[in-house]
Amino acid sequence: MNKFRIAEASNAAVAPSADVLLIEDSVALSLLLKRRIEAETNATVHLCTSFAEAERALDNGQFTLALTGHNLPDAADGEILELLTDRDVPTILFSGSVINDLQSNYAKYRLVDYIIKDNHATLDAAIAAVAKVIANQMISVLVVDDANAARTDLVGFLQRQNFRIYEAVTGQQALQCLIDEPSIELVITDYYMPDMDGYELTKRIRALHGSDRIRIIGVSASTDRGLSAQFLKAGASDFLYRPFVPEELQCRVNNNVETLVQLKRLRHLAERDPLTSLYNRRAFFERAEKHLRIFSVSEIAGAIAILDIDHFKRINDNFGHETGDSVLRQVAEMLLRAAQQYKLVAARLGGEEFALFLPGMSIEDAQELCNCLLEDLRRQAFAANGRPLQVTASIGLASLYRNETLDNQLNAADQMLYLAKTGGRDRVFSEIVLAEL
């Protein structure tokens, strides 16, 4: 029995979801906000026009966050903020005027953000603030601090912002956490810790991860004003002195997260094939070379494969390039699922040719996986002009050899691909098959 099975395509929404409690007594504004928030995010908006309605909603459900005004017809003195604080619901205040002592209220009511209704752009700002909090659940943050009270306060603040939080009390724990949880993209570290200071931790993180991969914010309650420069020179992205001004902390965190998002977007554009979203040729070579360096000093096996869609020119000629592009995208989706499932590197090398780098996989397992890919391809529902279209592919597979260049490894797989095609196509050809002939 084949031990490999490619996961089926998922129809689940990629965008993070949320339940938003919208409390606004203006019917026209509330309906506009509800419509736009649901259109621009993957959120379900629960609309309330009074304090009493909001209280009932909170009794009956849990909410990711609330967007509320300060004054309501049945609660004219901001009681809604007290209620949301008591129910521990992260809150964005959407107010018609600046509230006195807003900074202290910001901390008291654990506000996530506040928007003042003072110009035509405030509606967009409120919706953007909601979208940001919803999107934060996709960002993992590591908080490093040996002082329990200080760490707990910071963790609570970040949890209200809807981030995924990890904690460490020493530098070594932090480094191990980064290995165990590769999703972490933001590290907030205190300076004073028992095993290494935050400056040393920052240097060690930077030796492994660039600022485009992990942002680091240093924090300290020290009166030494030179600490900020030390952190920044060590590779930190930002620095804050304690005690925090909540709004400033939020802005610094949000700015670093926004930088990460922009960098990821640019990296995706630079590394991905625009048609299939697989790695492009350059990105494949970069990642494969990195794996080869590890492979050269280890006892781990590995393999490399090239997949070529059979008679692809015929598909383009007979059914048009739109059908050809659709076939390429479906094949790429299958390879992407396999890559995510089995930790492979998958790329489109060009045209109808794809590459797979299979680190840590024996040639026998790689052969079995490649056969599984071809079986999955045969089962897929391709269509042209409303009629079923049978699509197959040929795969050339080769073991990795130490001290060989990536070009030579690819050439070996390409030679196997030639044998697969001359042998009748729709098959995997490798040294295992060659030995059986």
Side-chain angles (χ1 to χ4, degrees), residues 48-225:
C48 300
T49 58
S50 67
F51 181 93
E53 284 185 21
E55 192 169 33
R56 285 195 297 272
L58 290 165
D59 286 339
N60 295 320
Q62 293 186 324
F63 298 94
T64 308
L65 75 154
L67 176 64
T68 183
H70 185 248
N71 301 322
L72 296 167
D74 54 346
D77 294 320
E79 295 91 341
I80 188 63
L81 293 180
E82 297 277 4
L83 175 64
L84 292 167
T85 301
D86 289 342
R87 301 300 181 91
D88 201 26
V89 180
T91 300
I92 298 173
L93 179 62
F94 192 38
S95 174
S97 60
V98 177
I99 302 165
N100 292 335
D101 301 322
L102 184 57
Q103 248 185 24
S104 60
N105 282 332
Y106 199 94
K108 176 184 176 183
Y109 296 120
R110 305 177 186 180
L111 295 179
V112 172
D113 207 344
Y114 67 89
I115 312 293
I116 305 300
K117 303 176 187 175
D118 58 358
N119 61 62
H120 67 280
T122 54
L123 187 65
D124 291 338
I127 294 162
V130 171
K132 185 186 302 178
V133 174
I134 294 171
N136 281 349
Q137 66 185 281
M138 304 297 289
I139 303 293
S140 296
V141 181
L142 172 61
V143 177
V144 192
D145 198 326
D146 65 316
N148 184 62
R151 190 178 68 256
T152 300
D153 284 346
L154 184 51
V155 165
F157 173 86
L158 293 167
Q159 285 174 334
R160 289 191 294 277
Q161 298 283 334
N162 208 26
F163 292 107
R164 291 191 304 220
I165 308 299
Y166 297 91
E167 299 179 54
V169 298
T170 67
Q172 287 295 344
Q173 280 186 13
L175 292 171
Q176 186 60 48
C177 190
L178 290 173
I179 294 171
D180 296 338
E181 302 294 341
S183 65
I184 292 170
E185 296 180 287
L186 176 64
V187 176
I188 303 178
T189 177
D190 190 46
Y191 179 72
Y192 292 108
M193 289 182 292
D195 57 341
M196 71 178 78
D197 58 36
Y199 170 78
E200 178 63 25
L201 175 60
T202 298
K203 287 199 300 182
R204 294 198 188 185
I205 294 173
R206 275 291 166 260
L208 300 170
H209 305 286
S211 60
D212 63 328
R213 166 67 183 82
I214 293 180
R215 309 293 287 181
I216 304 171
I217 301 177
V219 297
S220 179
S222 171
T223 57
D224 180 0
R225 306 308 290 182

Side-chain angles (χ1 to χ4, degrees), residues 180-436:
D180 296 338
E181 302 294 341
S183 65
I184 292 170
E185 296 180 287
L186 176 64
V187 176
I188 303 178
T189 177
D190 190 46
Y191 179 72
Y192 292 108
M193 289 182 292
D195 57 341
M196 71 178 78
D197 58 36
Y199 170 78
E200 178 63 25
L201 175 60
T202 298
K203 287 199 300 182
R204 294 198 188 185
I205 294 173
R206 275 291 166 260
L208 300 170
H209 305 286
S211 60
D212 63 328
R213 166 67 183 82
I214 293 180
R215 309 293 287 181
I216 304 171
I217 301 177
V219 297
S220 179
S222 171
T223 57
D224 180 0
R225 306 308 290 182
L227 273 184
S228 59
Q230 288 184 46
F231 263 100
L232 294 171
K233 286 182 176 180
S237 313
D238 211 338
F239 183 85
L240 273 168
Y241 283 101
R242 282 185 164 124
F244 303 126
V245 175
E247 285 181 83
E248 181 185 9
L249 174 59
Q250 178 201 332
C251 290
R252 301 284 186 122
V253 169
N254 285 344
N255 286 344
N256 278 282
V257 168
E258 179 61 26
T259 298
L260 276 172
V261 170
Q262 295 294 342
L263 288 170
K264 281 193 287 188
R265 186 175 295 124
L266 291 172
R267 188 162 60 242
H268 186 276
L269 291 172
E271 294 180 345
R272 300 286 174 166
D273 172 61
L275 178 65
T276 65
S277 293
L278 289 176
Y279 284 124
N280 57 29
R281 187 183 186 92
R282 181 184 61 79
F284 176 78
F285 268 73
E286 287 178 354
R287 278 154 183 76
E289 291 280 11
K290 180 179 178 181
H291 282 296
L292 278 179
R293 286 194 292 272
I294 298 170
F295 174 75
S296 66
V297 295
S298 72
E299 298 300 318
I300 299 172
I304 192 165
I306 299 177
L307 180 150
D308 191 276
I309 300 173
D310 294 331
H311 304 298
F312 185 72
K313 184 177 184 300
R314 190 182 301 170
I315 295 173
N316 273 336
D317 291 345
N318 292 344
F319 304 106
H321 288 278
E322 186 174 337
T323 297
D325 287 351
S326 177
V327 169
L328 288 171
R329 282 192 291 266
Q330 276 186 256
V331 172
E333 286 171 11
M334 177 191 70
L335 294 178
L336 185 58
R337 294 196 303 274
Q340 292 169 342
Q341 196 172 347
Y342 298 110
K343 295 182 172 55
L344 317 176
V345 182
R348 182 187 179 199
L349 296 181
E352 69 273 26
E353 197 169 74
F354 301 85
L356 279 173
F357 193 90
L358 305 98
M361 193 172 288
S362 69
I363 191 64
E364 292 80 12
D365 281 349
Q367 173 93 21
E368 196 170 346
L369 175 58
C370 287
N371 278 319
C372 179
L373 289 170
L374 294 190
E375 289 171 12
D376 189 66
L377 189 58
R378 296 181 198 111
R379 288 193 300 266
Q380 285 201 42
F382 294 92
N385 301 329
R387 292 180 298 174
L389 175 65
Q390 182 66 50
V391 175
T392 62
S394 302
I395 296 178
L397 174 67
S399 294
L400 294 179
Y401 288 92
R402 285 174 181 78
N403 303 317
E404 285 289 350
T405 66
L406 181 57
D407 280 333
N408 286 345
Q409 313 272 17
L410 273 171
N411 284 336
D414 197 45
Q415 289 172 23
M416 294 297 178
L417 176 63
Y418 174 78
L419 293 173
K421 284 185 169 293
T422 56
R425 293 185 165 86
D426 189 21
R427 66 193 61 205
V428 180
F429 208 99
S430 70
E431 57 217 59
I432 295 176
V433 178
L434 196 60
E436 293 173 351

